[in-house]
Amino acid sequence: MAMLDVKGLSISFGGLRAVDDFSVTIEKGQLYGLIGPNGAGKTTVFNLLTGVYKPDTGTILLDGDNITGKNTIEINKEGIARTFQNIRLFKDMSVLDNVKAALHQHYPYSTVEGILRLPRYFKQEKAMDERAMELLKVFDLDNERYYKASNLPYGKQRKLEIARALATEPKLLLLDEPAAGMNPNETAELMETIRFVRSEFDMTILLIEHDMKLVAGICERLTVLNFGQILTEGETSEVLNDKRVITAYLGE
Amino acid sequence: MEKKKERMRCAVTYAMVILFYIIAEGLIMTGHISSLMKGLLVPVCYYAILAVSLNLTVGILGELSLGHAGFMCIGAFSGAFFTQCTENAIPSVGLRFFLALVIGSALAGLFGLLIGIPVLRLKGDYLAIVTLAFGEIIKNLINVLYVGMDSAGFHFSTKDTTSLKLAEGGKVIIKGAQGITGTPRAATFTVGIILLLITLVIVLNLIYSRAGRAIMAIRDNRIAAESIGIDVTKFKLLAFSISAALAGTAGVLYGHSLSTLAATSKTFGYNMSIMILVYVVLGGLGNIRGSLISAAILTVLPELLRGFEDYRMLIYSLVLILLMLFNSSPKAVEFRGMLIERIRRAKKPAKEET
């Protein structure tokens, strides 16, 4: 069974059909790319998948469960986590607390237990610390754990956002332009990280990206969006050599 | 390491309050304190509680609320009302005061929840204005409320005492603009300090727990908080109603420290809300210990300056500006960091020698 199965997804804003009849099937463990020129509706697709917008038509099946029309919080519980195009960290909190905040649902001691410092508080806080540190080590952020998130260098902020998304233990990870604003070295490192995340966490990943080197380097399949509609879909090498795709990006 | 630091910081805050109590008690016992200062000890407690509780909304949740005095008003009146009408049923003043505290805080918290549900959908200036309005509404409602009690139960009116139609032997408890008179003054300095400590425990433990992280995550980035499954509405309401309940506690303390309790605009109007906000901003948003210190200083300062009657407000405002600079100007923060560093360095060699 496919991890993500989307059929006929559409949404309009006023007279603008931002996403029109979008369908995609992503198998478990696949690294899937969503590309297209600016304004093609890629981020809108992410917002539809994560429940920020409710689709006008279409269905979204995650691992066989219908999650169409659920809100962001419910969808996160179902198993989709994401990062953002413009980094959205909890900037005044420490790096460690950023990840611990995302562990929220998996260590559900109550507020009263927290205020009265009952045994469950200490037990779960300790477990949270350990789990968060494991994740931070994977991303080589463990030495910066007490830094304020906003004080991290740019590349590490991107990594922290991925670590935070993974802390919610998703089935599907959505990365919105993870390489935006990175230099070639950082991008190369990011490619390694994404590959590593896929193998280490056995993760299914859907990513939006403009950096063709990154897309060609790690994505197995691609869908190309243009003006809200699917232009083409298929194996990465085929798609990138498709004339229509080149035209959409560069013009006639 | 960081965990230890966190605990140290909390411990220092608690120690400060206890030390303040010991010093004040010592001064009272040896008679080195004027009656004026003595009268300020309980106010310092309730203002500190108000500042700490408002800091939870403004500093930790990051939502500007200008109606804090309204919640204090609910606590003060429901607490005093309870103490008055159970005068015969519960003879012990202490027990009645304790129950009044519980009821006043719970009721203020409940109002916080009810007002929070519609109001917390708003943000920034809009939220500030609506909370300000709610604070005024609460104050004005209580101002026109007449409540009496006789053998048949409670009677309510919004006109005057005679329209209550009380039976023989009935008693008017809330007399409209005159408020509640004759509440036993059970709020001592010791009780105030205990309540302040409880407030600190609640707020500090909340901040350094799962719920606290969720609340701060919402403050820093609501969209990201939702994306990792944090229930934004729930935790906003939680912070807001805890904050309101603690303001209610301060209100009960306030109501039991005066013999006459009236909902004037001076006591529960927006001026009061703004004053509490000044304590919070001055002490630093999100800085609980700062709120304590600024509430204490700004409560005592106007009285200390009474000797210079003519220049009082001038000095008060100067101190305000200086404190604000000291707290948040980059140069001052740098200077403070340098001082701390120097002290630390001076300490280290001393340790090595011993």
Side-chain angles (χ1 to χ4, degrees):
Chain A
M1 189 194 306
M3 180 52 83
L4 183 73
D5 195 3
V6 178
K7 283 217 169 60
L9 211 57
S10 299
I11 188 171
S12 301
F13 299 113
L16 177 75
R17 207 152 177 85
V19 173
D20 189 9
D21 197 21
F22 178 84
S23 300
V24 72
T25 305
I26 303 176
E27 300 299 326
K28 187 170 166 33
Q30 214 164 31
L31 238 165
Y32 203 103
L34 181 60
I35 64 170
N38 286 327
K42 303 180 298 289
T43 299
T44 309
V45 169
F46 268 27
N47 284 338
L48 286 168
L49 292 179
T50 53
V52 176
Y53 304 138
K54 305 258 176 297
D56 296 339
T57 61
T59 52
I60 306 166
L61 297 183
L62 178 74
D63 208 8
D65 298 323
N66 190 346
I67 57 165
T68 323
K70 289 194 171 177
N71 67 32
T72 312
I73 297 160
E74 288 163 345
I75 284 178
N76 181 256
K77 281 180 187 153
E78 293 284 340
I80 298 183
R82 72 176 290 185
T83 65
F84 297 87
Q85 195 173 346
N86 43 344
I87 303 178
R88 289 181 183 273
L89 288 172
F90 306 133
K91 55 185 181 351
D92 284 338
M93 293 165 70
S94 72
V95 169
L96 183 66
D97 278 349
N98 264 271
V99 177
K100 278 171 82 178
L103 290 169
H104 185 86
Q105 310 165 21
H106 300 287
Y107 298 91
Y109 70 84
S110 72
T111 307
V112 175
E113 281 170 314
I115 288 175
L116 297 178
R117 297 278 145 112
L118 297 180
R120 225 157 83 105
Y121 164 84
F122 291 103
K123 217 172 114 194
Q124 295 200 356
E125 278 288 315
K126 196 166 163 254
M128 274 168 126
D129 276 334
E130 281 164 9
R131 177 82 189 109
M133 280 312 289
E134 269 173 36
L135 273 165
L136 289 177
K137 267 203 191 97
V138 167
F139 290 92
D140 195 24
L141 284 165
D142 49 327
N143 289 325
E144 285 99 339
R145 62 187 181 279
Y146 298 132
Y147 281 35
K148 239 192 195 179
S150 55
N151 289 347
L152 284 179
Y154 188 80
K156 294 210 165 184
Q157 291 196 13
R158 284 264 176 221
K159 280 187 176 175
L160 176 57
E161 223 190 1
I162 299 175
R164 187 182 66 186
L166 285 173
T168 64
E169 290 173 27
K171 294 173 182 166
L172 172 69
L173 182 63
L174 308 181
L175 303 175
D176 197 345
E177 290 197 32
M182 283 189 173
N183 63 34
N185 287 336
E186 285 173 325
T187 307
E189 205 191 317
L190 179 76
M191 279 164 72
E192 278 310 305
T193 311
I194 293 174
R195 266 200 209 105
F196 179 74
V197 166
R198 196 256 296 260
S199 55
E200 171 85 9
F201 295 91
D202 195 18
M203 189 62 58
T204 315
I205 299 173
L206 170 62
L207 62 87
I208 294 176
E209 190 47 72
H210 279 302
D211 190 319
M212 285 306 147
K213 230 165 106 189
L214 185 140
V215 172
I218 61 173
C219 292
E220 286 141 9
R221 282 185 84 80
L222 291 179
T223 289
V224 187
L225 270 183
N226 196 22
F227 297 117
Q229 288 174 327
I230 293 178
L231 194 65
T232 180
E233 192 263 349
E235 297 278 327
T236 303
S237 53
E238 289 169 29
V239 170
L240 288 181
N241 292 320
D242 192 316
K243 244 202 160 138
R244 287 173 302 167
V245 176
I246 298 169
T247 317
Y249 266 94
L250 301 174
E252 297 283 343
Chain B
M1 159 90 177
E2 188 73 359
K3 265 263 151 74
K4 258 188 201 159
K5 244 193 202 166
E6 204 176 280
R7 266 181 217 147
M8 262 306 278
R9 241 180 279 151
C10 294
V12 168
T13 311
Y14 297 133
M16 244 174 51
V17 176
I18 293 168
L19 197 68
F20 172 69
Y21 176 70
I22 293 171
I23 291 172
E25 280 292 311
L27 286 175
I28 292 170
M29 270 203 270
T30 51
H32 280 81
I33 191 167
S34 67
S35 61
L36 188 77
M37 280 295 135
K38 219 166 134 183
L40 278 179
L41 290 175
V42 178
V44 165
C45 292
Y46 56 71
Y47 285 131
I49 295 175
L50 284 167
V52 169
S53 63
L54 186 64
N55 208 338
L56 182 61
T57 304
V58 180
I60 308 298
L61 178 62
E63 298 288 6
L64 186 56
S65 161
L66 292 178
H68 218 52
F71 298 122
M72 179 193 179
C73 186
I74 290 172
F77 274 85
S78 56
F81 181 77
F82 175 81
T83 308
Q84 292 261 347
C85 53
T86 52
E87 202 172 351
N88 301 319
I90 309 167
S92 155
V93 175
L95 180 63
R96 259 191 295 156
F97 181 41
F98 174 73
L99 289 173
L101 278 168
V102 174
I103 289 171
S105 312
L107 208 63
L110 181 71
F111 267 80
L113 188 70
L114 291 177
I115 292 173
I117 290 169
V119 158
L120 285 174
R121 289 166 180 272
L122 302 169
K123 272 177 222 147
D125 305 350
Y126 302 102
L127 178 69
I129 289 168
V130 175
T131 47
L132 183 130
F134 267 108
E136 290 294 298
I137 290 170
I138 291 169
K139 184 203 81 193
N140 288 330
L141 274 183
I142 290 179
N143 240 332
V144 296
L145 193 66
Y146 290 83
V147 183
M149 186 180 76
D150 61 12
S151 47
F154 295 116
H155 296 259
F156 298 90
S157 163
T158 53
K159 276 200 216 105
D160 48 33
T161 42
T162 46
S163 65
L164 286 171
K165 300 193 185 74
L166 288 179
E168 196 71 23
K171 188 172 92 170
V172 184
I173 298 174
I174 303 179
K175 297 188 202 81
Q178 282 172 306
I180 301 179
T181 47
T183 312
R185 298 177 61 176
T188 58
F189 180 47
T190 313
V191 176
I193 286 289
I194 291 171
L195 289 176
L196 178 56
L197 283 173
I198 292 173
T199 305
L200 283 173
V201 168
I202 291 175
V203 173
L204 288 173
N205 282 359
L206 179 73
I207 293 174
Y208 297 113
S209 77
R210 174 176 170 269
R213 272 192 300 271
I215 293 165
M216 288 188 278
I218 294 167
R219 171 195 67 192
D220 281 356
N221 202 315
R222 193 182 58 82
I223 292 171
E226 269 183 348
S227 85
I228 54 168
I230 290 173
D231 191 337
V232 172
T233 316
K234 178 184 152 193
F235 283 103
K236 265 186 163 179
L237 279 176
L238 179 79
F240 196 68
S241 46
I242 288 180
S243 168
L246 292 173
T249 312
V252 180
L253 192 64
Y254 175 84
H256 285 74
S257 68
L258 302 165
S259 46
T260 308
L261 175 68
T264 61
S265 51
K266 202 181 143 225
T267 48
F268 297 117
Y270 71 95
N271 272 327
M272 179 64 140
S273 295
I274 300 269
M275 200 168 78
I276 306 166
L277 189 66
V278 167
Y279 299 154
V280 173
V281 173
L282 205 63
L285 292 179
N287 183 347
I288 302 297
R289 201 193 302 160
S291 295
L292 282 180
I293 297 170
S294 67
I297 290 177
L298 291 188
T299 310
V300 175
L301 196 65
E303 300 301 327
L304 278 182
L305 293 175
R306 235 173 236 289
F308 313 87
E309 200 62 64
D310 293 342
Y311 306 105
R312 191 155 77 109
M313 286 325 280
L314 184 69
I315 298 174
Y316 182 84
S317 47
L318 271 179
V319 170
L320 256 180
I321 293 168
L322 285 177
L323 273 175
M324 232 178 259
L325 280 177
F326 182 72
N327 247 336
S328 44
S329 125
K331 275 272 177 253
V333 171
E334 204 178 288
F335 178 70
R336 257 169 31 198
M338 234 171 63
L339 266 185
I340 292 170
E341 194 58 33
R342 202 169 287 171
I343 293 167
R344 216 171 264 159
R345 242 183 260 154
K347 253 187 196 165
K348 259 194 187 149
K351 252 186 203 162
E352 277 160 22
E353 277 169 23
T354 48

